[in-house]
Amino acid sequence: METIQKIWFAGGRIYMRTTEGGEYSRPLEAFPTLLDATDEERAGYRIEFRGEAVRWESLDEDIHISSFYKDEEPCPDNEVADIFRRFPQLNISEIARSVGISADLLRRYIYGIKTPEPERLNHIKRTLHDLARELAAV
């Protein structure tokens, strides 16, 4: 069974080497907590669960080996990304909280790693429209 041997970062990606000699990489956008982390924070990982997962205690981030087998690449040309590019003053964490999702999930939508279902996209837009109405009342 393939297990994690080593993790490293280069060129905006996280890489994994396995005990079987396989090498895999994912864009850091797939892991927004690691994308926002410093090099020092990224270096502070432990391989856990018999080599099946990586843990960054200081970041409260875990990645299972199966995450490296996915092949989604960032697609920043999407509707959610367009909104946040047009309005960079929007606080991702606060908008996510208002929508009822994690900031990491909203970042994955923004980076184009995940695509929100139409209902979720409409909820994000409604939340932003509600905010706009509140601002207009000031």
Side-chain angles (χ1 to χ4, degrees):
M1 180 174 137
E2 198 168 42
T3 59
I4 300 168
Q5 180 181 45
K6 179 182 177 183
I7 297 289
W8 72 98
F9 299 86
R13 298 184 74 83
I14 180 173
Y15 291 83
M16 173 190 68
R17 180 172 298 125
T18 68
T19 53
E20 304 297 316
E23 285 192 7
Y24 303 88
S25 78
R26 296 293 319 270
L28 280 175
E29 288 89 349
F31 310 103
T33 300
L34 294 175
L35 178 67
D36 294 340
T38 65
D39 289 342
E40 184 177 282
E41 289 171 324
R42 290 179 193 157
Y45 71 87
R46 286 190 321 260
I47 298 172
E48 296 186 339
F49 300 109
R50 298 174 310 282
E52 294 180 14
V54 185
R55 170 85 178 147
W56 287 264
E57 189 68 39
S58 68
L59 299 171
D60 193 25
E61 178 78 357
D62 301 285
I63 300 176
H64 190 266
I65 191 171
S66 62
S67 296
F68 286 94
Y69 302 145
K70 297 177 182 175
D71 60 2
E72 302 113 342
E73 291 292 321
C75 179
D77 186 24
N78 69 74
E79 194 168 1
V80 179
D82 289 343
I83 293 167
F84 282 84
R85 270 195 297 273
R86 283 185 58 204
F87 302 99
Q89 63 273 39
L90 291 173
N91 181 299
I92 294 170
S93 295
E94 289 302 315
I95 299 299
R97 186 187 57 72
S98 296
V99 172
I101 61 175
S102 72
D104 277 357
L105 179 57
L106 183 54
R107 284 185 183 96
R108 285 184 179 102
Y109 293 156
I110 293 168
Y111 299 138
I113 292 293
K114 285 192 166 284
T115 303
E117 295 292 325
E119 184 178 321
R120 174 67 53 84
L121 179 59
N122 286 334
H123 188 197
I124 292 168
K125 288 178 178 180
R126 279 193 313 273
T127 299
L128 293 170
H129 292 161
D130 290 346
L131 175 61
R133 279 190 290 282
E134 286 181 42
L135 287 170
V138 173

